[in-house]
Amino acid sequence: MHSLRALWSGLPVLGQDVALLVLLLAPGLLTGLLVLRGFKPWRLVRAMLRRFRGANAVFVALIAVSVGIGVGLTAQERGLRQGSARAAERFDLILAAPGSEITAMLAAVYLQPSDVPLLTGAQYAEVAADPDVVLAAPIAFGDSYQGAPVVGTIADFVAHLAGDLAEGRMFATSTEAVAGAYAPVTAGDSFTPAHGHGASAEADAHGGAAYTVTGRMAPTGSPWDRAILVPIEGVWEVHGLANGHALSEGDRIGPPFDAALFPGTPAILVRAEALWGNYALQSRYARPDMMAFFPGTVLAQMHGLMRDVREAMSLLAVVTQVLVTVSILAGLVILTRIFARGLALLRAIGASRRFVFAVVWSYSAALIAAGSLAGLALGWLAASAFSAIITARTDILVTATVAWAEVQLVAGFVSLTLILALLPALSATRRQQLADLRS
């Protein structure tokens, strides 16, 4: 047992996936080899498929829908988990005022409108001066333009989030902006932000203030692709607050900030040079006046809370497949009655009972295989369509693809139904031959 476990662990991931696929298909394939040993019933099977095209199409469609539901649900759930995790991967450590980590994460990482308390200038100055911190980026939100969030931050955060700009240059004054990859503005546009988001946004709250777009970020696959990023000084200024700098500094933007003139920020993205440094910073700043958390950890907790939903979806898919399998078996038994006279004629001209058994089983196997392959394609199409809808609604890039898990799910279904297809075949061979010939 230990040697088998060691052998399995030594296989590459692809080898394990292929091996599991073969193991799942093996019972069904072995059943087929035993049933068809010594026979070649394919001409008869093709004739049966052509003659009963309508009924065959209905059964193939039933199988395809059943398999498609299972494939689509599992692929979509995995794509949503991967997409949400990918959107948060650039956010190493988030600092925020004490409260709900989930609310702070949704606001700072996924740009969901939320009212959160602010961190003070003294707190930001403490974090920015920490020798283990290589990036301390304030993130200030609350304004929008044509539904796109307007977020105040610093230039280093833009570079950290999306790398080099795809177009134009970085903002250099408090009245300039950099657009996300799919934000509703282009380089050279000027706009006035609204205060708030959605239907409650106050379009004229910042009358007289305007930003000019100077560049566009590369796509990140996150809600930030629709955001418009501006210097945090600009956010403070349009709200009539100090801009973090003394008047003698002129129009300078970016850190260092004067703690006494720092109006506050809802969140700070913090990054250390090394991974272990982020854990040290998290321990250091998780205290009564400030919370420090890893978005990935909070996201994993949310995925854990959703596990029951995922299991319910999986159970729904299994129950659906079981019900359809029962329906298929019952339908195949009915179909064998439709061509019972033809099978009786085969027996009358000398065909063995076992040959008739092989013909009926092969016919059933053809329907099962065709429906399962169609279901795999249908599940992929459904998952792709739903992914596009979710991406449009959440701005999180969700790419649901058919992976080994779905192929193995279908392989298990095919193998099970091929074995159960022995029942209709057995039923066909036990019919009264004389009565069928007279029918």
Side-chain angles (χ1 to χ4, degrees):
M1 182 64 70
H2 178 72
S3 59
L4 288 176
R5 189 179 295 110
L7 177 63
W8 179 262
S9 300
L11 289 175
V13 175
L14 178 60
Q16 292 180 356
D17 287 329
V18 172
L20 184 56
L21 176 64
V22 172
L23 289 173
L24 288 169
L25 284 174
L29 295 177
L30 182 60
T31 299
L33 289 174
L34 293 175
V35 170
L36 298 176
R37 184 169 57 89
F39 298 124
K40 295 181 179 179
W42 306 118
R43 288 186 179 181
L44 280 172
V45 172
R46 284 197 296 270
M48 292 165 66
L49 292 173
R50 285 195 300 268
R51 183 175 179 183
F52 304 102
R53 289 188 294 270
N56 294 335
V58 170
F59 279 96
V60 169
L62 278 173
I63 298 171
V65 170
S66 169
V67 172
I69 289 174
V71 169
L73 284 176
T74 56
Q76 188 61 68
E77 186 273 333
R78 185 183 60 252
L80 186 57
R81 276 191 294 111
Q82 292 176 344
S84 58
R86 185 167 51 245
E89 66 183 2
R90 299 302 294 171
F91 292 80
D92 306 71
L93 178 66
I94 295 293
L95 305 186
S100 168
E101 291 182 350
I102 293 178
T103 300
M105 182 191 70
L106 291 176
V109 177
Y110 298 103
L111 299 178
Q112 296 299 305
S114 300
D115 290 327
V116 295
L118 304 180
L119 294 172
T120 66
Q123 289 172 315
Y124 176 82
E126 178 187 359
V127 174
D130 193 312
D132 294 328
V133 173
V134 296
L135 175 63
I139 301 174
F141 35 80
D143 291 341
S144 64
Y145 176 70
Q146 294 185 2
V150 176
V151 185
T153 186
I154 60 176
D156 287 345
F157 173 78
V158 180
H160 171 74
L161 181 65
D164 294 335
L165 294 182
E167 177 187 348
R169 62 170 177 82
M170 185 66 66
F171 47 68
T173 69
S174 62
T175 59
E176 293 181 339
V178 169
Y182 309 121
V185 290
T186 59
D189 287 353
S190 293
F191 67 93
T192 297
H195 183 70
H197 296 265
S200 61
E202 302 173 34
D204 56 352
H206 303 314
Y211 297 105
T212 300
V213 180
T214 61
R216 182 177 296 277
M217 297 191 301
T220 64
S222 72
W224 291 84
D225 286 340
R226 289 198 69 252
I228 303 172
L229 282 68
V230 302
I232 192 169
E233 291 89 345
V235 172
W236 290 328
E237 287 171 1
V238 299
H239 288 85
L241 303 172
N243 68 1
H245 304 287
L247 293 176
S248 59
E249 296 186 61
D251 295 331
R252 186 179 72 80
I253 61 172
F257 296 101
D258 186 332
L261 300 174
F262 188 98
T265 181
I268 305 172
L269 168 69
V270 177
R271 180 172 178 268
E273 188 68 39
L275 179 62
W276 63 266
N278 289 326
Y279 285 93
L281 291 173
Q282 192 273 338
S283 176
R284 188 176 307 163
Y285 292 110
R287 59 196 197 194
D289 67 326
M290 189 186 306
M291 64 179 181
F293 62 91
F294 298 109
T297 301
V298 177
L299 193 60
Q301 293 172 352
M302 293 179 64
H303 289 161
L305 293 174
M306 295 172 61
R307 187 177 296 115
D308 290 341
V309 176
R310 184 167 69 248
E311 291 176 353
M313 292 169 62
S314 300
L315 179 61
L316 174 64
V318 171
V319 169
T320 302
Q321 290 185 344
V322 169
L323 291 176
V324 170
T325 300
V326 173
S327 302
I328 291 167
L329 294 175
L332 289 174
V333 171
I334 295 172
L335 280 179
T336 59
R337 294 180 180 179
I338 294 176
F339 46 74
R341 189 167 185 272
L343 296 176
L345 284 172
L346 279 177
R347 294 286 308 282
I349 62 177
S352 66
R353 189 185 297 268
R354 186 166 166 265
F355 179 77
V356 173
F357 185 94
V359 169
V360 175
W361 184 90
S362 300
Y363 168 74
S364 303
L367 295 181
I368 292 168
S372 298
L373 289 175
L376 198 60
L378 181 63
W380 174 73
L381 289 173
S384 298
F386 280 115
S387 294
I389 294 172
I390 293 173
T391 298
R393 293 289 184 89
T394 66
D395 297 320
I396 298 174
L397 179 61
V398 177
T399 53
T401 58
V402 173
W404 281 103
E406 287 71 48
V407 175
Q408 291 161 356
L409 174 68
V410 174
F413 173 79
V414 169
S415 196
L416 175 62
T417 48
L418 288 180
I419 295 172
L420 293 177
L422 296 172
L423 298 177
L426 183 62
S427 172
T429 62
R430 292 196 171 186
R431 294 181 60 83
Q432 292 295 324
Q433 182 178 344
L434 196 56
D436 287 340
L437 285 172
R438 290 174 177 172
S439 63

